[in-house]
């Protein structure tokens, strides 16, 4: 882990923000962060979200709570936005 970071923080940051991940010998998949960006919430898997957040600062939140009509959101997006947005 990074100096001063707990294992828990390192794990969370690696998993959610692609920061502080331990070096590995495996190749990280490259993603086109422009392709499908208009609907990334539905099109991208968690690996692409982490990659594009880390490399291009795109899709860093689980959902874009300013996008779309809230009455059309699924349960997952509605719950996330209620918990994380004011």
């Amino acid at each position: 882990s990074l100096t001063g970071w707990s294992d828990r923080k390192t794990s969370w940051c690696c998993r959610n923000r692609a920061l502080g991940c331990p070096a590995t010998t495996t190749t990280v998949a490259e993603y086109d962060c422009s392709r499908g960006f208009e609907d990334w919430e539905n099109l991208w898997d968690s690996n692409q979200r982490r990659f594009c957040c880390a490399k291009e600062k795109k899709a860093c939140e689980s959902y874009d709570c300013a996008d779309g009509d809230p009455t059309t959101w699924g349960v997952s997006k509605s719950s996330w936005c209620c918990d994380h947005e004011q």
Side-chain angles (χ1 to χ4, degrees), residues 25-47:
T25 57
T26 58
T27 303
V28 175
E30 294 285 327
Y31 293 96
D32 179 347
C33 298
S34 296
R35 185 174 183 197
F37 181 66
E38 69 282 350
D39 194 22
W40 62 267
E41 295 166 317
N42 295 308
L43 298 176
W44 293 0
D45 64 21
S46 60
N47 291 327

